[in-house]
Amino acid sequence: MKKLFMNDYPLLLMPKLATKVGLLESIFLVQLHYWLTKSKHRYEGKVWVYNTLEDWHEQFPFVSVMTIRRLVKKLEKDQLIFTAHFNRSKMDRTKWYTINYDAIEALMDDVNDSCEQMEQIDGDERTEEAFNLHTPIPETTTEKEEEECARKKNSQTSEENPYTFFEQNGFGTIGGYIAEKINYWCEDLSEELVVEAMKLAVEYGAKRWSYVESILRYWYDKGYETVSDIRAARKAYQERMADSDRKKKRTSPPVPHVTEYDMNAGEEDDD
């Protein structure tokens, strides 16, 4: 039983922060703070770290990637974290993260207690020795970008992979610009939704990236996050249209029955 606890790594929790921002949000913020204390990447006067959603999922295996995506968006919306892109390649859409410490302090009832807890995580060398935390995040390199792209293309079936689906279903060959667009939407929504949008474009005979992107933009504005959300919305729309058609049929006046008739009927002959 002791080995069960010793062979795993704990995550730190600040109870007061959790009561303000939520349990998962507070765990994410504390973990992000830990990485910020290790990072040497400084941009725009702030220290940043970067990670993919899948990498965050490895640190929080009890939370789905979709939940982490929603969690990050919530923290962004509440301006408790800032995100940006500082990658060497524009095709690399991996997000960079930093904490808005001013907003965190303003949120806490006892600012001094909040800062003290944060500093304890930063300064206590025994914490790092006692807890089996993850290794530092690697540098962004061209090799990493190429390996990540190859991993994405090889780890999924052609139907699930947006890059392969694009080329195998008549959209054309992926160039740098389209690849950047696909990466952008995979990051903002998901690879699953990008493929779903491409499927709809194929069904409607509009195999153009501009059409796919218009679908994705509509879904993003509506807040759809899963294929189930999309299908439920489409089903509801179809039901509304069918109901509207039935109402029109009930309220429309009957169309008179037209028959052929003799144009000269009722006229006398000249004879």
Side-chain angles (χ1 to χ4, degrees), residues 2-19:
K2 291 182 179 179
K3 291 183 179 179
L4 174 64
F5 290 96
M6 296 301 293
N7 290 337
D8 204 353
Y9 62 89
L11 292 170
L12 302 180
L13 173 66
M14 293 173 57
K16 288 187 178 181
L17 182 61
T19 60

Side-chain angles (χ1 to χ4, degrees), residues 182-198:
I182 293 176
N183 283 333
Y184 174 85
W185 284 108
C186 287
E187 180 71 21
D188 274 12
L189 290 176
S190 69
E191 294 182 359
E192 186 182 27
L193 289 187
V194 173
V195 171
E196 186 71 12
M198 291 182 188

Side-chain angles (χ1 to χ4, degrees), residues 93-107:
R93 302 299 298 178
T94 304
K95 275 189 176 181
W96 292 70
Y97 301 80
T98 193
I99 293 177
N100 184 356
Y101 288 102
D102 292 337
I104 296 292
E105 290 183 1
L107 195 64

